[in-house]
Amino acid sequence: MVILCNVMEIIVSMDLIFEEAKKHEKGENIEVFMEKWEQDSVGFEMSKLKKIRTQSITGYGLRLIKEGRVGFSGGTACDPEDFVQRALDSAKYGPQARFELPEATDYKTVKTYDEKIYNMTVEEMVRKGREVLEFLTNSQPGYQYDVTLDRFVGKKALLSGRMDISRNSTAYSFAIVAHSFVEGNFLNYYEGFSYSTLDMMQKEETDEMSTARKVLSILELAENEDEILSGSYPVIFSPNSFAEILHSILTGLNGRAIEKGASPLAGKMYEQVLPEFVNVYDDGTVDGSPLSAPFDDEGIPVKRQALIEKGVIKNFILDLQTAGALKMQPSGNGQRSYSSLPRPYSNVVFFSEGDSFRGELIKKISTGLYVEQVIGGHTGNPYSGDFQLNFDLGFKIKNGSITGRVKNIMIAGNAYRLFDSLCGISVEKKWAGKYCLPYVCFEDVRVAGRQP
């Protein structure tokens, strides 16, 4: 019998899948995961309204442990017999289970849902987009602009022999991309934000118009041009560009990489790997972040934890499977969709706060660079820490001032060795996706620019 899924049948469908699985295995070895979301998207391309789209999905994943091996099935249809049989079949060849399914516990209250976002209309999003576009095109008509607005409402639930829990979430995202297609001055500059509550947006003093003003301020800086010779220079990274560097460190801390021995940080728990003034935290309990939650996708409590404290490794990023393989406790970093098994990923990442303002970091540099936006992060090797990045938008600093945009600039190196020359961290922090990061200055960065 095929059971059609709708919103009113979510709990019933989870129960039916669970009860069917119990015919073949003990309840403590069975887990049903449900993911439901709907999303409204409004998109303006090249300064014109191009897209209004609504999407929704409800999907289920069944994970079970059969004779010590993990079986899994997932999909949007919910025929319980089919779900269970596919999971049982996959368990014959599945990985060895290094864990037991957890019990429910007390979870911290985290603000991830906003009724105002839930009630936000497409008409309201279109109006905001038009207002921003009018402001941008009147202020700087030499560019084309893309503006996107997204409203997201979601729910996740877990049902096993040991827990029956669920959580709701919302998110509102806004982004601007400014384009220049002038020959010799090609540019795509991005600025945006995403919050799960509008209160967080107000706390951060960020809204659609302030984002547009940030874009215009960067475009004004980019009007002048300069150049720099190849060599080694101090370089200030914006939060957006620094996230590409920090990604290598987080990859090295990931339990999958540790388990497989692919990380240079394997076997270095409680050892100093970065300068003693460097702290990196994973905190998925921050109110208002779209990546925050009271528990991860395996029912493990999410918490604030030091990954690196005073340069010393304190924790790895673990889900149930990698924690079991490493004989450690899970860290609340199991993430998945309805169609996949969990994997360890960082939640919300924070980096050390410094004691200088960005402007003070710039004033200290005689000759160097400020990089706002990079491309090419995928071309390096995040496991070894090696990176090779092109300046998508960068500027020359001369005698403590930004003098103009530089083009055709590439930087390369190793993230771990690069941290040895970390010489400045700003007080200001900015959200860059799941990262909340400062501006940072490295004293000795190898730069490929104009040849002498």
Side-chain angles (χ1 to χ4, degrees), residues 359-378:
E360 294 172 335
L361 295 177
I362 293 173
K363 287 180 180 179
K364 293 177 181 177
I365 295 177
S366 174
T367 302
L369 293 166
Y370 166 69
V371 53
E372 177 65 38
Q373 189 170 276
V374 295
I375 55 175
H378 62 283

Side-chain angles (χ1 to χ4, degrees), residues 217-386:
S217 66
I218 291 294
L219 296 182
E220 184 178 355
L221 282 178
E223 289 298 308
N224 298 319
E225 294 186 15
D226 209 330
E227 57 184 19
I228 196 164
L229 298 175
S230 296
S232 293
Y233 299 95
V235 176
I236 297 173
F237 288 79
S238 73
N240 283 331
S241 56
F242 180 48
E244 294 289 346
I245 302 295
L246 194 58
H247 173 69
S248 292
I249 307 298
L250 292 171
T251 300
L253 292 167
N254 189 285
R256 282 286 182 97
I258 299 293
E259 178 191 359
K260 296 179 182 301
S263 168
L265 304 181
K268 294 186 178 181
M269 179 67 82
Y270 306 122
E271 292 186 19
Q272 184 160 351
V273 296
L274 295 178
E276 63 179 13
F277 54 86
V278 170
N279 300 298
V280 182
Y281 294 94
D282 179 275
D283 187 359
T285 67
V286 180
D287 289 339
S289 169
L291 295 174
S292 291
F295 53 84
D296 71 2
D297 291 344
E298 299 182 287
I300 302 298
V302 173
K303 59 188 177 181
R304 177 179 171 85
Q305 59 183 341
L307 299 176
I308 295 176
E309 191 170 59
K310 296 182 178 179
V312 176
I313 297 176
K314 294 293 186 178
N315 289 285
F316 293 134
I317 300 167
L318 305 171
D319 62 358
L320 283 171
Q321 179 76 347
T322 55
L326 297 171
K327 295 180 170 56
M328 301 177 70
Q329 293 298 312
S331 61
N333 292 100
Q335 297 181 23
R336 60 174 157 181
S337 74
Y338 67 87
S339 60
S340 66
L341 284 168
R343 296 175 66 93
Y345 289 102
S346 55
N347 294 311
V348 183
V349 178
F350 292 83
F351 190 81
S352 311
E353 183 177 291
D355 55 8
S356 300
F357 289 96
R358 185 189 71 157
E360 294 172 335
L361 295 177
I362 293 173
K363 287 180 180 179
K364 293 177 181 177
I365 295 177
S366 174
T367 302
L369 293 166
Y370 166 69
V371 53
E372 177 65 38
Q373 189 170 276
V374 295
I375 55 175
H378 62 283
T379 61
N381 183 345
Y383 292 99
S384 67
D386 293 334

Side-chain angles (χ1 to χ4, degrees), residues 34-93:
M34 185 279 295
E35 179 181 31
K36 171 184 178 292
W37 55 263
E38 63 178 44
Q39 182 173 5
D40 291 326
S41 299
V42 173
F44 295 82
E45 296 178 13
M46 302 303 168
S47 305
K48 296 181 180 180
L49 180 61
K50 292 289 186 177
K51 176 185 70 175
I52 297 178
R53 183 174 62 188
T54 297
Q55 304 176 83
S56 64
I57 199 165
T58 300
Y60 301 86
L62 170 63
R63 178 169 62 166
L64 52 79
I65 301 173
K66 182 73 173 178
E67 297 179 354
R69 294 190 175 275
V70 178
F72 175 79
S73 64
T76 54
C78 48
D79 177 352
E81 293 183 7
D82 175 64
F83 259 66
V84 173
Q85 190 58 55
R86 286 192 287 120
L88 290 171
D89 290 344
S90 70
K92 298 174 184 177
Y93 311 99

